[in-house]
Amino acid sequence: MHILVVNDDGPPCVSSPYVAPFVRALQQAGHVTSVVLPSVQNSGMAKAYNIGQTLQPEYYLPDLTDDDPTPDRWILVSGTPASCVQLGVHHLFQDRGPVDLVISGPNYGHNLTSVYTLASGTVGGAMEAALCGKMAVSLSFAFGNHQAPADEGVHSADLIATASRISVNLIEKLAQEPRNDVDVYHINVPRLQSTPPPQVVWTTVARSSLSSPSIFQILQPPDERETSIPSGLPAFNWAPRFTDVNRILEESPPGTDAWALRKGYIGFVVPCHTFY
């Protein structure tokens, strides 16, 4: 298959540790893999476009180890995941033939419950691919705390490689027998504790809210000289605590995405059967 990979975490770095091993797994499985990523972090952008902006792609060569296959040059775009999908499907890889499948991810952390799913740039990229008429998968590695990827344990190289191989196998099976009533598939892969691979279950999205507290807080200036703002209004910065969401993650009933992760299952979520 010709597979287009996008994400919302950007090129490989401490906060984007999964995309290079995942692309490697796709290549090792024999797929033609095209990669176009946001040039910077774009989490929380959902399915937004860069309206009114000029997007300039640039080539990027990932830092791969000696035992990797000879890599293609990736492309970075100063745009959102949805914009990357548009460019990847329609403009950047025409010499490779039509894209058969778009995979958005793997996301750095879970995308569980409605709050995360609706805001996710990873899910948004997959939704954009579906609007382009492509089979679309968003993939999240829900490995718990965001420790440095070089650390053993949660983000060990072996763990990431295993999760990547399992995810590729699952997505290949989806592509062989797609459901006609589904536009976007979303997969949350838990931390893999042992072999064989964990059970795979179909789930719904757990309902969650942001009723309290606010996800923004008033930014306190460091000294009185910085309080003279012409509008007289305070400034705010991003400071989410997700109190309600965290409660849902612990209490959501069987059959939901959060329940599946608690059980250690790989959750296949259908965010929406037909969203357009």
Side-chain angles (χ1 to χ4, degrees), residues 176-200:
Q176 292 168 2
E177 298 181 358
R179 286 174 51 174
N180 293 329
D181 62 336
V182 176
D183 297 312
V184 176
Y185 301 88
H186 178 47
I187 306 172
N188 280 288
V189 178
R191 181 180 179 183
L192 306 176
Q193 303 287 353
S194 61
T195 56
Q199 181 178 342
V200 178

Side-chain angles (χ1 to χ4, degrees), residues 1 25 43 74 77 119 131-132 151-152 182 191-192 213 249 251 258:
M1 286 188 292
S43 293
W74 296 3
V77 177
L131 289 174
C132 293
D151 288 351
E152 291 301 314
V182 176
R191 181 180 179 183
L192 306 176
L249 289 173
E251 300 175 0

Side-chain angles (χ1 to χ4, degrees), residues 33-117:
T33 308
S34 301
V35 182
V36 54
L37 309 175
S39 56
V40 297
Q41 175 65 248
N42 266 256
S43 293
M45 295 301 291
K47 211 185 74 58
Y49 299 120
N50 299 92
I51 297 174
Q53 300 179 30
T54 298
L55 303 182
Q56 179 59 63
E58 59 183 22
Y59 285 113
Y60 172 83
L61 188 63
D63 183 14
L64 301 176
T65 58
D66 292 338
D67 60 351
D68 289 315
T70 302
D72 293 318
R73 287 185 297 180
W74 296 3
I75 294 179
L76 302 184
V77 177
S78 56
T80 65
S83 296
C84 289
V85 169
Q86 280 284 333
L87 298 185
V89 168
H90 295 299
H91 299 285
L92 297 175
F93 305 105
Q94 298 303 297
D95 57 326
R96 300 183 177 186
V99 171
D100 300 304
L101 167 67
V102 176
I103 301 175
S104 186
N107 190 68
Y108 187 24
H110 71 73
N111 273 308
L112 301 169
T113 80
S114 53
V115 165
Y116 284 94
T117 300

